Amino acid sequence: MQDMILSSADSVEFQLKQGGTLVLKETYSPANGSIRIGGLDKVVDTCLYGDLKEEGGQDHLSASFGFFVDGTSILTQTLYASHQHNTFDTSGAKMILTHGTVDVCRPGVPHPLTFLASATAKLYNKADQEINSTSVGGVTAYTENCDPEQLFPTNYYQGAYILFTCGGDWLKTFIDQREYPDATSFLFLNMYDAPEVLSTKVALQVKPQSTDDIGTSYGEDRKYHIEQNDEYTADSGALYTRAEYAQWRDLVMSRKVQVLWDGRWLPIIVTKTNYSHTMRKGSFGGVGFSFRMARQRDNGMITL
């Protein structure tokens, strides 16, 4: 959001409302015959955020904001959360809130996609023939689990890709039918603060470690206040497009990430990243990163 410039010789009262809720109310005085109101993007940013879930309405991802001067409305605008610039969407017109226009899914693995309106999902085979279709999304920001096994339970295994269309936007999702017994899935908020899932192709590596205090008791050194903070290392495996790379970059930069562990989504903290930029025959190599389990407070207790 750009700064607002108001030409005025008098002090004005400026208000910002999210729906009917007053977010900001301040009085400004002119300097050199004008009033500059800046920093509104930071204020609005605190009001817009996505919920980390596989499916359901995103009640806080978008909202209508009203701008008022001395009680008179000067602008009404519907705004959406977006924390970074998307190089694949220079016009800012994406209706399917993911980084690029191509991605990959796996049957039986959650594949949440967030749509800003009602959308259509069409299943195609390798000969580019449509074999099934269904409706996804909703009236406003809505996250749908687009796992092909869930969208097309009767014939997903015949599909090569799914084409999602929403308004003038589209997304082509290739279906990877191969099995990865050691794969690990991560649920995260992408650059639009919308949930996505990415899965590795290889097993995690773990480095047991902890922090502690060492003290002396009766002439013998001992450990006290031991805290487990094992470090896990994940690798995306080979990537073949810039869009895939951009998605993994979203994951390691995300403010909120969870790992699927024994059937539950557990919060993690990404601690280190290892970007690989080697390009051989169109391959980006892979993206590696390390993480630790986040501490959680549950019923007054902190657990790992």
Side-chain angles (χ1 to χ4, degrees):
M1 295 181 62
Q2 302 298 319
D3 291 355
M4 284 189 173
I5 307 296
L6 305 178
S7 298
S8 176
D10 303 312
S11 297
V12 299
E13 181 187 82
F14 177 80
Q15 294 182 7
L16 174 65
K17 293 183 179 180
Q18 180 183 4
T21 302
L22 183 63
V23 176
L24 179 68
K25 180 180 179 181
E26 292 183 341
T27 299
Y28 299 92
S29 298
N32 300 322
S34 66
I35 296 171
R36 178 186 291 269
I37 303 175
L40 290 176
D41 54 340
K42 295 180 180 179
V43 177
V44 170
D45 185 62
T46 63
C47 303
L48 298 174
Y49 55 91
D51 294 313
L52 200 58
K53 53 187 176 183
E54 294 178 20
E55 195 160 21
Q58 292 289 347
D59 300 330
H60 310 290
L61 193 64
S62 66
S64 177
F65 287 87
F67 303 82
F68 298 82
V69 171
D70 292 336
T72 301
S73 175
I74 60 172
L75 177 65
T76 300
Q77 188 73 45
T78 299
L79 301 175
Y80 298 88
S82 181
H83 302 296
Q84 304 168 44
H85 177 67
N86 188 345
T87 55
F88 295 94
D89 181 32
T90 55
S91 62
K94 279 189 73 66
M95 300 289 288
I96 305 173
L97 300 186
T98 184
H99 208 123
T101 55
V102 178
D103 71 351
V104 179
C105 68
R106 299 175 186 172
V109 177
H111 188 65
L113 292 173
T114 301
F115 304 88
L116 296 183
S118 179
T120 300
K122 295 183 178 181
L123 182 68
Y124 289 85
N125 60 21
K126 293 181 180 180
D128 295 322
Q129 298 170 324
E130 181 184 334
I131 55 178
N132 208 339
S133 67
T134 187
S135 296
V136 293
V139 177
T140 184
Y142 187 87
T143 298
E144 186 99 28
N145 184 359
C146 294
D147 167 15
E149 191 172 315
Q150 177 169 306
L151 288 183
F152 308 105
T154 59
N155 55 356
Y156 69 90
Y157 53 87
Q158 298 175 333
Y161 63 90
I162 305 171
L163 183 63
F164 298 94
T165 54
C166 184
D169 192 16
W170 59 274
L171 174 70
K172 191 173 185 178
T173 299
F174 289 96
I175 301 173
D176 187 351
Q177 303 278 6
R178 291 169 292 185
E179 293 187 4
Y180 301 93
D182 296 320
T184 301
S185 297
F186 296 88
L187 175 65
F188 65 100
L189 292 177
N190 63 21
M191 63 172 296
Y192 293 100
D193 235 30
E196 281 194 72
V197 167
L198 289 176
S199 301
T200 63
K201 298 182 177 70
V202 296
L204 294 177
Q205 295 182 350
V206 60
K207 180 181 179 181
Q209 58 186 28
S210 62
T211 58
D212 54 66
D213 296 326
I214 297 178
T216 303
S217 176
Y218 297 100
E220 181 180 343
D221 288 345
R222 298 182 180 177
K223 288 184 177 182
Y224 299 90
H225 308 122
I226 301 173
E227 183 175 303
Q228 171 192 337
N229 54 6
D230 293 353
E231 184 179 68
Y232 299 84
T233 301
D235 193 293
S236 65
L239 305 177
Y240 298 97
T241 66
R242 286 183 58 207
E244 273 191 288
Y245 177 79
Q247 283 184 296
W248 282 93
R249 186 179 60 191
D250 273 7
L251 188 159
V252 299
M253 295 177 62
S254 177
R255 66 177 181 85
K256 202 169 185 180
V257 187
Q258 295 181 348
V259 62
L260 187 60
W261 199 271
D262 291 333
R264 296 187 301 149
W265 290 111
L266 298 179
I268 64 172
I269 302 295
V270 176
T271 55
K272 301 174 185 175
T273 59
N274 176 27
Y275 295 106
S276 175
H277 295 281
T278 303
M279 294 187 65
R280 295 187 179 92
K281 296 182 180 179
S283 172
F284 275 81
V287 173
F289 63 95
S290 299
F291 67 91
R292 64 173 176 81
M293 296 297 183
R295 303 178 74 192
Q296 301 178 71
R297 186 175 294 275
D298 183 23
N299 297 325
M301 300 295 290
I302 295 178
T303 60
L304 292 174

